[in-house]
Amino acid sequence: MKTFTYNNKAYPVDDNNFLIDHKDWDKDFAIGMAYELGMLDGLSEPPWEVIYFIRTEFEKTGERTLLYETCRAMGLKTETLQKLFPTGYLRGAC
């Protein structure tokens, strides 16, 4: 099994570095993955708001929200979301 390691913790991930079990997610995973994806400035408050929204909705429904649903709920334009997550919605935010 492949793992992603950050801050001395190993996370089981698939070949695309997505967590095998969403329950393994924690803030360190998100921070480490942001660096892995080239977000060298890390995660500021606006990206965290989006991440927590997506996670909360997933916990409620068991499904990832669609891009337009997240933008509408957060009051963001897709261009703004792209600036927050340069690697894209699925790869960066989700």
Side-chain angles (χ1 to χ4, degrees), residues 46-66:
W48 278 117
E49 291 174 9
V50 173
I51 290 168
Y52 284 129
F53 171 78
I54 293 168
R55 291 202 46 78
T56 300
E57 291 302 306
F58 182 82
E59 292 295 327
K60 288 181 197 173
T61 66
E63 296 186 14
R64 173 189 42 82
T65 58
L66 299 175

